[in-house]
Amino acid sequence: MILPKERDPRFITIRRGGTLTDSDHRLLALWAAACAEHVLHLFESVQPSDPRPRQAIEQIRAWARGEIRMSQSRAAGGHAMAAARVLSGAARHAAFAAGQAAVVAHVAAHELGAAAYAIKAARAAAPAGETESAGRLECRWQREHLPDTIRELVLDDQRSRNEICWSVFEC
């Protein structure tokens, strides 16, 4: 569970009654894609012939550029998550990160899902005894790559949803 029971209007676009601008929605999508891509190698090292997570990341970027419809990116996200379901560990979490990134086009609040799963992937790939430090390192990398325009929005979202996101944002 990564989404709150009540939707935060800051993650609902203006045209749907929230306060999120289209440009900030695109920035959330691109940041989520970056988070997912940062750990994608953990999936591809286990499933090198399965393109679904990489395609999901490519689709959300295409959506952010206005090249495809939301439904296409959302569908790619579903395919990436299907690739995850048959796996375990770091590869599974990395594929889920890609899937979550792709569905940001549909629900902007999935941006935190992409980031959280990427942190879980980094933790799962770390040697025994180093999982927490690997997670903190990934979390810090993500924060360093946050665009200034959405930085406070995402950091506040991390604080408010940390508990339902496996407490991975304590970095």
PDB file of all heavy atoms in Angstrom, residues 15-44:
ATOM      1  N   ARG A  15      -7.222  20.569 -13.445  1.00  0.00           N
ATOM      2  CA  ARG A  15      -8.437  20.303 -14.221  1.00  0.00           C
ATOM      3  C   ARG A  15      -9.334  19.248 -13.577  1.00  0.00           C
ATOM      4  O   ARG A  15     -10.489  19.108 -13.936  1.00  0.00           O
ATOM      5  CB  ARG A  15      -8.081  19.941 -15.668  1.00  0.00           C
ATOM      6  CG  ARG A  15      -7.444  18.607 -15.859  1.00  0.00           C
ATOM      7  CD  ARG A  15      -7.050  18.357 -17.324  1.00  0.00           C
ATOM      8  NE  ARG A  15      -6.073  17.309 -17.416  1.00  0.00           N
ATOM      9  CZ  ARG A  15      -4.790  17.423 -17.152  1.00  0.00           C
ATOM     10  NH1 ARG A  15      -4.308  18.568 -16.760  1.00  0.00           N
ATOM     11  NH2 ARG A  15      -3.984  16.394 -17.258  1.00  0.00           N
ATOM     12  N   ARG A  16      -8.812  18.528 -12.590  1.00  0.00           N
ATOM     13  CA  ARG A  16      -9.609  17.529 -11.875  1.00  0.00           C
ATOM     14  C   ARG A  16      -9.947  17.982 -10.455  1.00  0.00           C
ATOM     15  O   ARG A  16     -10.362  17.175  -9.630  1.00  0.00           O
ATOM     16  CB  ARG A  16      -8.885  16.195 -11.849  1.00  0.00           C
ATOM     17  CG  ARG A  16      -8.658  15.628 -13.236  1.00  0.00           C
ATOM     18  CD  ARG A  16      -8.469  14.137 -13.174  1.00  0.00           C
ATOM     19  NE  ARG A  16      -8.295  13.588 -14.493  1.00  0.00           N
ATOM     20  CZ  ARG A  16      -9.268  13.045 -15.213  1.00  0.00           C
ATOM     21  NH1 ARG A  16     -10.485  12.991 -14.727  1.00  0.00           N
ATOM     22  NH2 ARG A  16      -9.025  12.550 -16.403  1.00  0.00           N
ATOM     23  N   GLY A  17      -9.717  19.265 -10.188  1.00  0.00           N
ATOM     24  CA  GLY A  17     -10.102  19.826  -8.899  1.00  0.00           C
ATOM     25  C   GLY A  17      -8.993  19.927  -7.871  1.00  0.00           C
ATOM     26  O   GLY A  17      -9.241  20.354  -6.740  1.00  0.00           O
ATOM     27  N   GLY A  18      -7.785  19.550  -8.226  1.00  0.00           N
ATOM     28  CA  GLY A  18      -6.656  19.656  -7.305  1.00  0.00           C
ATOM     29  C   GLY A  18      -5.841  20.900  -7.579  1.00  0.00           C
ATOM     30  O   GLY A  18      -6.323  21.849  -8.203  1.00  0.00           O
ATOM     31  N   THR A  19      -4.598  20.875  -7.142  1.00  0.00           N
ATOM     32  CA  THR A  19      -3.724  22.040  -7.307  1.00  0.00           C
ATOM     33  C   THR A  19      -2.479  21.744  -8.138  1.00  0.00           C
ATOM     34  O   THR A  19      -1.649  22.634  -8.323  1.00  0.00           O
ATOM     35  CB  THR A  19      -3.286  22.576  -5.932  1.00  0.00           C
ATOM     36  OG1 THR A  19      -2.567  21.560  -5.232  1.00  0.00           O
ATOM     37  CG2 THR A  19      -4.495  23.028  -5.113  1.00  0.00           C
ATOM     38  N   LEU A  20      -2.336  20.531  -8.626  1.00  0.00           N
ATOM     39  CA  LEU A  20      -1.140  20.143  -9.372  1.00  0.00           C
ATOM     40  C   LEU A  20      -1.175  20.684 -10.798  1.00  0.00           C
ATOM     41  O   LEU A  20      -2.119  20.435 -11.547  1.00  0.00           O
ATOM     42  CB  LEU A  20      -1.016  18.611  -9.411  1.00  0.00           C
ATOM     43  CG  LEU A  20       0.234  18.040 -10.067  1.00  0.00           C
ATOM     44  CD1 LEU A  20       1.484  18.402  -9.265  1.00  0.00           C
ATOM     45  CD2 LEU A  20       0.108  16.526 -10.193  1.00  0.00           C
ATOM     46  N   THR A  21      -0.131  21.422 -11.167  1.00  0.00           N
ATOM     47  CA  THR A  21      -0.036  21.921 -12.542  1.00  0.00           C
ATOM     48  C   THR A  21       0.454  20.805 -13.459  1.00  0.00           C
ATOM     49  O   THR A  21       1.092  19.845 -13.004  1.00  0.00           O
ATOM     50  CB  THR A  21       0.949  23.107 -12.636  1.00  0.00           C
ATOM     51  OG1 THR A  21       2.266  22.625 -12.310  1.00  0.00           O
ATOM     52  CG2 THR A  21       0.543  24.248 -11.719  1.00  0.00           C
ATOM     53  N   ASP A  22       0.176  20.952 -14.731  1.00  0.00           N
ATOM     54  CA  ASP A  22       0.657  19.956 -15.697  1.00  0.00           C
ATOM     55  C   ASP A  22       2.177  19.895 -15.712  1.00  0.00           C
ATOM     56  O   ASP A  22       2.763  18.809 -15.812  1.00  0.00           O
ATOM     57  CB  ASP A  22       0.127  20.266 -17.100  1.00  0.00           C
ATOM     58  CG  ASP A  22      -1.357  19.963 -17.239  1.00  0.00           C
ATOM     59  OD1 ASP A  22      -1.913  19.222 -16.395  1.00  0.00           O
ATOM     60  OD2 ASP A  22      -1.963  20.474 -18.195  1.00  0.00           O
ATOM     61  N   SER A  23       2.832  21.029 -15.596  1.00  0.00           N
ATOM     62  CA  SER A  23       4.301  21.026 -15.631  1.00  0.00           C
ATOM     63  C   SER A  23       4.878  20.305 -14.410  1.00  0.00           C
ATOM     64  O   SER A  23       5.845  19.546 -14.535  1.00  0.00           O
ATOM     65  CB  SER A  23       4.855  22.446 -15.748  1.00  0.00           C
ATOM     66  OG  SER A  23       4.477  23.218 -14.643  1.00  0.00           O
ATOM     67  N   ASP A  24       4.275  20.506 -13.241  1.00  0.00           N
ATOM     68  CA  ASP A  24       4.749  19.780 -12.060  1.00  0.00           C
ATOM     69  C   ASP A  24       4.422  18.293 -12.158  1.00  0.00           C
ATOM     70  O   ASP A  24       5.209  17.449 -11.699  1.00  0.00           O
ATOM     71  CB  ASP A  24       4.161  20.374 -10.781  1.00  0.00           C
ATOM     72  CG  ASP A  24       4.832  21.685 -10.386  1.00  0.00           C
ATOM     73  OD1 ASP A  24       5.823  22.085 -11.047  1.00  0.00           O
ATOM     74  OD2 ASP A  24       4.359  22.318  -9.424  1.00  0.00           O
ATOM     75  N   HIS A  25       3.299  17.953 -12.756  1.00  0.00           N
ATOM     76  CA  HIS A  25       2.948  16.552 -12.970  1.00  0.00           C
ATOM     77  C   HIS A  25       4.021  15.888 -13.836  1.00  0.00           C
ATOM     78  O   HIS A  25       4.498  14.782 -13.540  1.00  0.00           O
ATOM     79  CB  HIS A  25       1.565  16.454 -13.626  1.00  0.00           C
ATOM     80  CG  HIS A  25       0.980  15.090 -13.638  1.00  0.00           C
ATOM     81  ND1 HIS A  25      -0.276  14.846 -14.151  1.00  0.00           N
ATOM     82  CD2 HIS A  25       1.442  13.882 -13.241  1.00  0.00           C
ATOM     83  CE1 HIS A  25      -0.541  13.550 -14.048  1.00  0.00           C
ATOM     84  NE2 HIS A  25       0.502  12.953 -13.507  1.00  0.00           N
ATOM     85  N   ARG A  26       4.428  16.565 -14.891  1.00  0.00           N
ATOM     86  CA  ARG A  26       5.488  16.031 -15.762  1.00  0.00           C
ATOM     87  C   ARG A  26       6.809  15.891 -14.997  1.00  0.00           C
ATOM     88  O   ARG A  26       7.525  14.897 -15.163  1.00  0.00           O
ATOM     89  CB  ARG A  26       5.658  16.912 -16.989  1.00  0.00           C
ATOM     90  CG  ARG A  26       4.525  16.758 -17.994  1.00  0.00           C
ATOM     91  CD  ARG A  26       4.817  17.463 -19.314  1.00  0.00           C
ATOM     92  NE  ARG A  26       4.928  18.912 -19.170  1.00  0.00           N
ATOM     93  CZ  ARG A  26       3.908  19.759 -19.203  1.00  0.00           C
ATOM     94  NH1 ARG A  26       2.675  19.301 -19.405  1.00  0.00           N
ATOM     95  NH2 ARG A  26       4.103  21.058 -19.066  1.00  0.00           N
ATOM     96  N   LEU A  27       7.135  16.864 -14.153  1.00  0.00           N
ATOM     97  CA  LEU A  27       8.367  16.762 -13.363  1.00  0.00           C
ATOM     98  C   LEU A  27       8.314  15.584 -12.392  1.00  0.00           C
ATOM     99  O   LEU A  27       9.320  14.884 -12.208  1.00  0.00           O
ATOM    100  CB  LEU A  27       8.617  18.059 -12.590  1.00  0.00           C
ATOM    101  CG  LEU A  27       9.104  19.248 -13.403  1.00  0.00           C
ATOM    102  CD1 LEU A  27       9.170  20.497 -12.529  1.00  0.00           C
ATOM    103  CD2 LEU A  27      10.461  18.957 -14.031  1.00  0.00           C
ATOM    104  N   LEU A  28       7.165  15.350 -11.776  1.00  0.00           N
ATOM    105  CA  LEU A  28       7.013  14.185 -10.900  1.00  0.00           C
ATOM    106  C   LEU A  28       7.239  12.896 -11.685  1.00  0.00           C
ATOM    107  O   LEU A  28       7.904  11.964 -11.208  1.00  0.00           O
ATOM    108  CB  LEU A  28       5.626  14.167 -10.254  1.00  0.00           C
ATOM    109  CG  LEU A  28       5.353  15.217  -9.184  1.00  0.00           C
ATOM    110  CD1 LEU A  28       3.867  15.270  -8.847  1.00  0.00           C
ATOM    111  CD2 LEU A  28       6.189  14.949  -7.938  1.00  0.00           C
ATOM    112  N   ALA A  29       6.696  12.852 -12.894  1.00  0.00           N
ATOM    113  CA  ALA A  29       6.847  11.667 -13.742  1.00  0.00           C
ATOM    114  C   ALA A  29       8.308  11.442 -14.119  1.00  0.00           C
ATOM    115  O   ALA A  29       8.812  10.310 -14.066  1.00  0.00           O
ATOM    116  CB  ALA A  29       5.986  11.804 -14.991  1.00  0.00           C
ATOM    117  N   LEU A  30       8.984  12.501 -14.487  1.00  0.00           N
ATOM    118  CA  LEU A  30      10.389  12.374 -14.892  1.00  0.00           C
ATOM    119  C   LEU A  30      11.276  11.986 -13.711  1.00  0.00           C
ATOM    120  O   LEU A  30      12.215  11.193 -13.850  1.00  0.00           O
ATOM    121  CB  LEU A  30      10.867  13.667 -15.541  1.00  0.00           C
ATOM    122  CG  LEU A  30      10.211  13.977 -16.889  1.00  0.00           C
ATOM    123  CD1 LEU A  30      10.596  15.380 -17.358  1.00  0.00           C
ATOM    124  CD2 LEU A  30      10.592  12.924 -17.928  1.00  0.00           C
ATOM    125  N   TRP A  31      10.981  12.533 -12.535  1.00  0.00           N
ATOM    126  CA  TRP A  31      11.744  12.150 -11.346  1.00  0.00           C
ATOM    127  C   TRP A  31      11.494  10.686 -11.001  1.00  0.00           C
ATOM    128  O   TRP A  31      12.438   9.943 -10.704  1.00  0.00           O
ATOM    129  CB  TRP A  31      11.390  13.069 -10.167  1.00  0.00           C
ATOM    130  CG  TRP A  31      12.119  12.682  -8.912  1.00  0.00           C
ATOM    131  CD1 TRP A  31      13.450  12.845  -8.652  1.00  0.00           C
ATOM    132  CD2 TRP A  31      11.552  12.044  -7.769  1.00  0.00           C
ATOM    133  NE1 TRP A  31      13.741  12.351  -7.397  1.00  0.00           N
ATOM    134  CE2 TRP A  31      12.603  11.855  -6.840  1.00  0.00           C
ATOM    135  CE3 TRP A  31      10.271  11.618  -7.433  1.00  0.00           C
ATOM    136  CZ2 TRP A  31      12.398  11.253  -5.588  1.00  0.00           C
ATOM    137  CZ3 TRP A  31      10.060  11.024  -6.200  1.00  0.00           C
ATOM    138  CH2 TRP A  31      11.119  10.850  -5.295  1.00  0.00           C
ATOM    139  N   ALA A  32      10.256  10.248 -11.074  1.00  0.00           N
ATOM    140  CA  ALA A  32       9.937   8.841 -10.812  1.00  0.00           C
ATOM    141  C   ALA A  32      10.666   7.939 -11.804  1.00  0.00           C
ATOM    142  O   ALA A  32      11.193   6.883 -11.433  1.00  0.00           O
ATOM    143  CB  ALA A  32       8.426   8.621 -10.894  1.00  0.00           C
ATOM    144  N   ALA A  33      10.716   8.347 -13.066  1.00  0.00           N
ATOM    145  CA  ALA A  33      11.436   7.573 -14.082  1.00  0.00           C
ATOM    146  C   ALA A  33      12.916   7.477 -13.739  1.00  0.00           C
ATOM    147  O   ALA A  33      13.536   6.412 -13.875  1.00  0.00           O
ATOM    148  CB  ALA A  33      11.241   8.203 -15.462  1.00  0.00           C
ATOM    149  N   ALA A  34      13.492   8.583 -13.285  1.00  0.00           N
ATOM    150  CA  ALA A  34      14.913   8.575 -12.906  1.00  0.00           C
ATOM    151  C   ALA A  34      15.162   7.630 -11.733  1.00  0.00           C
ATOM    152  O   ALA A  34      16.152   6.883 -11.723  1.00  0.00           O
ATOM    153  CB  ALA A  34      15.378   9.992 -12.575  1.00  0.00           C
ATOM    154  N   CYS A  35      14.276   7.655 -10.749  1.00  0.00           N
ATOM    155  CA  CYS A  35      14.402   6.756  -9.598  1.00  0.00           C
ATOM    156  C   CYS A  35      14.354   5.294 -10.050  1.00  0.00           C
ATOM    157  O   CYS A  35      15.168   4.471  -9.621  1.00  0.00           O
ATOM    158  CB  CYS A  35      13.290   7.014  -8.586  1.00  0.00           C
ATOM    159  SG  CYS A  35      13.389   8.604  -7.744  1.00  0.00           S
ATOM    160  N   ALA A  36      13.408   4.979 -10.906  1.00  0.00           N
ATOM    161  CA  ALA A  36      13.263   3.606 -11.385  1.00  0.00           C
ATOM    162  C   ALA A  36      14.455   3.188 -12.245  1.00  0.00           C
ATOM    163  O   ALA A  36      14.970   2.079 -12.116  1.00  0.00           O
ATOM    164  CB  ALA A  36      11.958   3.461 -12.165  1.00  0.00           C
ATOM    165  N   GLU A  37      14.883   4.081 -13.107  1.00  0.00           N
ATOM    166  CA  GLU A  37      15.995   3.740 -13.992  1.00  0.00           C
ATOM    167  C   GLU A  37      17.293   3.517 -13.212  1.00  0.00           C
ATOM    168  O   GLU A  37      18.129   2.707 -13.604  1.00  0.00           O
ATOM    169  CB  GLU A  37      16.195   4.829 -15.034  1.00  0.00           C
ATOM    170  CG  GLU A  37      17.225   4.446 -16.081  1.00  0.00           C
ATOM    171  CD  GLU A  37      17.292   5.451 -17.200  1.00  0.00           C
ATOM    172  OE1 GLU A  37      17.427   6.664 -16.898  1.00  0.00           O
ATOM    173  OE2 GLU A  37      17.194   5.032 -18.362  1.00  0.00           O
ATOM    174  N   HIS A  38      17.444   4.205 -12.100  1.00  0.00           N
ATOM    175  CA  HIS A  38      18.656   4.086 -11.298  1.00  0.00           C
ATOM    176  C   HIS A  38      18.864   2.662 -10.785  1.00  0.00           C
ATOM    177  O   HIS A  38      20.005   2.244 -10.544  1.00  0.00           O
ATOM    178  CB  HIS A  38      18.614   5.096 -10.141  1.00  0.00           C
ATOM    179  CG  HIS A  38      19.929   5.279  -9.490  1.00  0.00           C
ATOM    180  ND1 HIS A  38      20.142   5.011  -8.156  1.00  0.00           N
ATOM    181  CD2 HIS A  38      21.110   5.721  -9.978  1.00  0.00           C
ATOM    182  CE1 HIS A  38      21.398   5.273  -7.850  1.00  0.00           C
ATOM    183  NE2 HIS A  38      22.015   5.704  -8.931  1.00  0.00           N
ATOM    184  N   VAL A  39      17.791   1.912 -10.600  1.00  0.00           N
ATOM    185  CA  VAL A  39      17.904   0.526 -10.108  1.00  0.00           C
ATOM    186  C   VAL A  39      17.492  -0.502 -11.160  1.00  0.00           C
ATOM    187  O   VAL A  39      17.473  -1.704 -10.881  1.00  0.00           O
ATOM    188  CB  VAL A  39      17.074   0.316  -8.815  1.00  0.00           C
ATOM    189  CG1 VAL A  39      17.609   1.194  -7.687  1.00  0.00           C
ATOM    190  CG2 VAL A  39      15.598   0.553  -9.052  1.00  0.00           C
ATOM    191  N   LEU A  40      17.188  -0.062 -12.360  1.00  0.00           N
ATOM    192  CA  LEU A  40      16.709  -0.973 -13.403  1.00  0.00           C
ATOM    193  C   LEU A  40      17.685  -2.109 -13.691  1.00  0.00           C
ATOM    194  O   LEU A  40      17.277  -3.224 -14.000  1.00  0.00           O
ATOM    195  CB  LEU A  40      16.402  -0.192 -14.683  1.00  0.00           C
ATOM    196  CG  LEU A  40      15.812  -0.988 -15.848  1.00  0.00           C
ATOM    197  CD1 LEU A  40      14.480  -1.625 -15.450  1.00  0.00           C
ATOM    198  CD2 LEU A  40      15.638  -0.087 -17.057  1.00  0.00           C
ATOM    199  N   HIS A  41      18.975  -1.839 -13.564  1.00  0.00           N
ATOM    200  CA  HIS A  41      19.974  -2.887 -13.815  1.00  0.00           C
ATOM    201  C   HIS A  41      19.769  -4.104 -12.915  1.00  0.00           C
ATOM    202  O   HIS A  41      20.125  -5.219 -13.284  1.00  0.00           O
ATOM    203  CB  HIS A  41      21.392  -2.327 -13.636  1.00  0.00           C
ATOM    204  CG  HIS A  41      21.716  -1.958 -12.224  1.00  0.00           C
ATOM    205  ND1 HIS A  41      21.306  -0.767 -11.654  1.00  0.00           N
ATOM    206  CD2 HIS A  41      22.382  -2.629 -11.262  1.00  0.00           C
ATOM    207  CE1 HIS A  41      21.718  -0.719 -10.398  1.00  0.00           C
ATOM    208  NE2 HIS A  41      22.373  -1.838 -10.134  1.00  0.00           N
ATOM    209  N   LEU A  42      19.151  -3.915 -11.753  1.00  0.00           N
ATOM    210  CA  LEU A  42      18.894  -5.032 -10.845  1.00  0.00           C
ATOM    211  C   LEU A  42      17.854  -5.987 -11.419  1.00  0.00           C
ATOM    212  O   LEU A  42      17.892  -7.189 -11.151  1.00  0.00           O
ATOM    213  CB  LEU A  42      18.455  -4.510  -9.476  1.00  0.00           C
ATOM    214  CG  LEU A  42      19.490  -3.643  -8.753  1.00  0.00           C
ATOM    215  CD1 LEU A  42      18.881  -3.000  -7.513  1.00  0.00           C
ATOM    216  CD2 LEU A  42      20.740  -4.459  -8.416  1.00  0.00           C
ATOM    217  N   PHE A  43      16.937  -5.465 -12.199  1.00  0.00           N
ATOM    218  CA  PHE A  43      15.982  -6.310 -12.921  1.00  0.00           C
ATOM    219  C   PHE A  43      16.644  -6.909 -14.157  1.00  0.00           C
ATOM    220  O   PHE A  43      16.571  -8.111 -14.391  1.00  0.00           O
ATOM    221  CB  PHE A  43      14.737  -5.511 -13.329  1.00  0.00           C
ATOM    222  CG  PHE A  43      13.819  -6.303 -14.220  1.00  0.00           C
ATOM    223  CD1 PHE A  43      12.898  -7.178 -13.681  1.00  0.00           C
ATOM    224  CD2 PHE A  43      13.895  -6.188 -15.609  1.00  0.00           C
ATOM    225  CE1 PHE A  43      12.067  -7.933 -14.506  1.00  0.00           C
ATOM    226  CE2 PHE A  43      13.074  -6.935 -16.426  1.00  0.00           C
ATOM    227  CZ  PHE A  43      12.158  -7.810 -15.873  1.00  0.00           C
ATOM    228  N   GLU A  44      17.276  -6.056 -14.929  1.00  0.00           N
ATOM    229  CA  GLU A  44      17.829  -6.503 -16.215  1.00  0.00           C
ATOM    230  C   GLU A  44      18.960  -7.519 -16.051  1.00  0.00           C
ATOM    231  O   GLU A  44      19.172  -8.344 -16.941  1.00  0.00           O
ATOM    232  CB  GLU A  44      18.286  -5.300 -17.033  1.00  0.00           C
ATOM    233  CG  GLU A  44      17.099  -4.468 -17.496  1.00  0.00           C
ATOM    234  CD  GLU A  44      17.475  -3.250 -18.294  1.00  0.00           C
ATOM    235  OE1 GLU A  44      18.585  -2.701 -18.085  1.00  0.00           O
ATOM    236  OE2 GLU A  44      16.655  -2.821 -19.124  1.00  0.00           O
TER     237      GLU A  44
END
